[in-house]
C-alpha cells in the first residue's frame, strides 16, 4: 500500500511526531481515555498477550487457554509472524482474536511519521495475507503513542488499545506470584491485562513465569465474578469514578 502522507502533510506530521501525547501516561489514560486504555464492562477482563507468535512458547499458552476454555487477544509482531504464519493460523483457529503489535519492536517515538505508517501498514497487511482478514486492533511497542501513530491508525483502520494492568512479566526477577500480585494491584473489573507469550523482547525464559502465573490469575478473576475473554468481547468502556479531593 502506498503511503498517503506526502508533501505538506508529511512536514506537518514531522513537527507533531515528537509532541507529547497524554495517552502514554497510564493513570490519566485509564481515567480520561477509556477506549484507548481498554476499559470494558465491569464484569469482564480482557486478557491480552504481546510479542508472538513464538513456536517455542505460544503453543503452551494455547493449550492452557484451551484447557481453561478462555479466549484471549494476541498482539502479534510482524517480524515473528513472518517466521511462523502457521502458528498465527492456529491462534485464530482456536477462537482467539489476532491483533498487531507493529512489524518491529521499536518505540514509535524513535521513528519518523512515514516510517511509523509503513511499519503499521506492513504488519497489518502481513496479518491480512496470512489470516485472510485485516486485523482492526493495534498496540504500540512499549505502549508509546504519539500524534503520527494516532493518525496512522486512523488512516489504516486500526484502533489503538493499550492496557489498564500489566504483570511486569518480562523482568528476570519476576515470579508467578509477583506477576499475579502486580496485575491485581491495579486491575479492576472492566480492565485489560497485558502479558507476554514470548520472550523475544523480554528476559530469556520469562514466558515460563507468565505461563505459571496464568492459572492463578484466571482463578482470581473467576472468584471475583469477572468473565475473561478477548477485547472484542469487552463491551463498552466504563470511566473510573472521580476521586474526591
Amino acid at each position: 500500500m502506498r503511503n498517503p502522507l506526502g508533501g505538506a502533510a508529511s512536514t506537518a506530521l514531522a513537527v507533531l511526531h515528537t509532541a507529547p501525547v497524554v495517552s502514554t501516561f497510564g493513570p490519566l489514560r485509564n481515567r480520561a481515555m477509556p477506549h484507548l486504555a481498554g476499559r470494558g464492562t465491569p464484569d469482564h477482563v480482557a486478557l491480552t498477550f504481546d510479542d508472538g507468535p513464538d513456536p517455542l512458547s505460544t503453543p503452551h499458552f494455547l493449550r492452557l487457554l484451551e484447557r481453561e476454555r478462555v479466549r484471549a487477544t494476541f498482539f502479534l509482531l510482524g517480524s515473528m509472524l513472518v517466521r511462523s504464519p502457521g502458528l498465527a493460523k492456529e491462534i485464530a483457529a482456536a477462537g482467539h482474536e489476532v491483533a498487531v503489535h507493529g512489524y518491529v519492536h521499536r518505540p514509535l517515538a524513535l521513528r519518523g511519521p512515514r516510517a511509523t505508517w509503513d511499519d503499521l501498514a506492513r504488519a497489518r497487511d502481513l496479518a491480512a495475507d496470512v489470516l485472510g482478514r485485516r486485523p482492526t486492533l493495534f498496540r504500540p511497542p512499549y505502549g508509546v503513542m504519539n500524534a503520527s501513530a494516532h493518525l496512522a491508525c486512523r488512516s489504516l483502520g486500526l484502533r489503538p488499545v493499550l492496557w489498564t494492568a500489566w504483570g511486569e512479566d518480562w523482568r528476570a526477577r519476576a515470579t508467578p506470584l509477583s506477576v499475579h500480585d502486580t496485575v491485581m494491584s491495579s486491575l479492576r473489573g472492566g480492565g485489560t491485562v497485558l502479558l507476554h507469550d514470548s520472550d523475544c523482547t523480554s528476559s530469556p525464559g520469562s514466558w515460563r513465569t507468565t505461563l505459571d502465573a496464568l492459572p492463578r490469575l484466571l482463578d482470581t478473576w473467576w472468584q471475583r465474578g469477572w468473565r475473561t475473554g478477548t477485547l472484542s468481547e469487552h463491551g463498552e468502556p466504563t470511566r473510573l469514578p472521580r476521586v474526591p479531593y
Side-chain angles (χ1 to χ4, degrees), residues 7 10 39 68 72 74 113 120 139 167 174 177 186 189 196 207-208 226 242:
S10 293
R39 295 205 60 81
E68 299 286 346
F74 286 78
L120 270 63
R139 175 175 288 157
L177 180 59
S186 57
H196 297 80
W207 66 267
R208 297 182 185 277
W226 298 341
R242 291 182 176 273

Side-chain angles (χ1 to χ4, degrees), residues 52-53 74-82 84-85 88-89 92 97-103 119-137 158:
F74 286 78
F75 286 89
L76 307 185
L77 276 174
S79 57
M80 297 293 283
L81 173 57
V82 75
S84 303
K89 292 179 181 178
E97 184 172 35
V98 174
V100 292
H101 196 34
Y103 197 87
D119 182 87
L120 270 63
R122 188 180 183 191
R124 185 201 66 171
D125 292 347
L126 174 61
D129 288 344
V130 170
L131 300 172
R133 60 182 181 276
R134 285 182 174 179
T136 60
L137 300 177
L158 294 170

Side-chain angles (χ1 to χ4, degrees), residues 12 16 18 27 29 49 66 76-77 80 83 86-87 93 116 118 120 138 156 163 171 174 220 234 237-238 241:
L16 286 171
T18 56
R29 177 180 74 238
F49 296 97
E66 181 181 15
L76 307 185
L77 276 174
M80 297 293 283
R83 301 174 190 172
L87 184 53
T116 295
D118 288 344
L120 270 63
F138 165 70
L156 294 166
W163 59 86
R171 299 179 183 273
T220 298
H234 207 29
T238 55

Side-chain angles (χ1 to χ4, degrees), residues 35-237:
H35 272 286
L36 182 62
R39 295 205 60 81
T41 54
D43 66 339
H44 190 269
V45 169
L47 175 60
T48 71
F49 296 97
D50 285 6
D51 292 356
D54 191 326
L56 176 64
S57 52
T58 302
H60 294 278
F61 287 86
L62 294 180
R63 286 193 289 271
L64 189 153
L65 293 171
E66 181 181 15
R67 186 169 67 247
E68 299 286 346
R69 298 182 179 179
V70 169
R71 293 186 296 183
T73 299
F74 286 78
F75 286 89
L76 307 185
L77 276 174
S79 57
M80 297 293 283
L81 173 57
V82 75
R83 301 174 190 172
S84 303
L87 184 53
K89 292 179 181 178
E90 289 181 32
I91 293 172
H96 302 292
E97 184 172 35
V98 174
V100 292
H101 196 34
Y103 197 87
V104 296
H105 202 279
R106 183 183 180 193
L108 296 181
L110 301 180
R111 304 168 69 89
R114 178 162 186 164
T116 295
W117 191 95
D118 288 344
D119 182 87
L120 270 63
R122 188 180 183 191
R124 185 201 66 171
D125 292 347
L126 174 61
D129 288 344
V130 170
L131 300 172
R133 60 182 181 276
R134 285 182 174 179
T136 60
L137 300 177
F138 165 70
R139 175 175 288 157
Y142 305 104
V144 177
M145 290 291 290
N146 54 22
S148 57
H150 280 287
L151 291 173
C153 283
R154 181 176 299 181
S155 169
L156 294 166
L158 294 170
R159 173 193 160 200
V161 182
L162 302 183
W163 59 86
T164 63
W166 61 6
E168 297 188 358
D169 54 337
W170 65 88
R171 299 179 183 273
R173 64 175 182 270
T175 67
L177 180 59
S178 76
V179 171
H180 173 276
D181 291 350
T182 301
V183 168
M184 295 311 301
S185 68
S186 57
L187 182 66
R188 56 188 296 168
T192 290
V193 175
L194 163 62
L195 297 171
H196 297 80
D197 63 307
S198 172
D199 62 6
C200 68
T201 66
S202 306
S203 177
S206 58
W207 66 267
R208 297 182 185 277
T209 300
T210 307
L211 186 71
D212 290 344
L214 194 51
R216 184 169 183 173
L217 282 168
L218 294 174
D219 284 346
T220 298
W221 301 340
W222 179 80
Q223 291 168 8
R224 296 196 178 191
W226 298 341
R227 298 175 296 114
T228 304
T230 66
L231 279 164
S232 65
E233 300 167 333
H234 207 29
E236 287 300 311

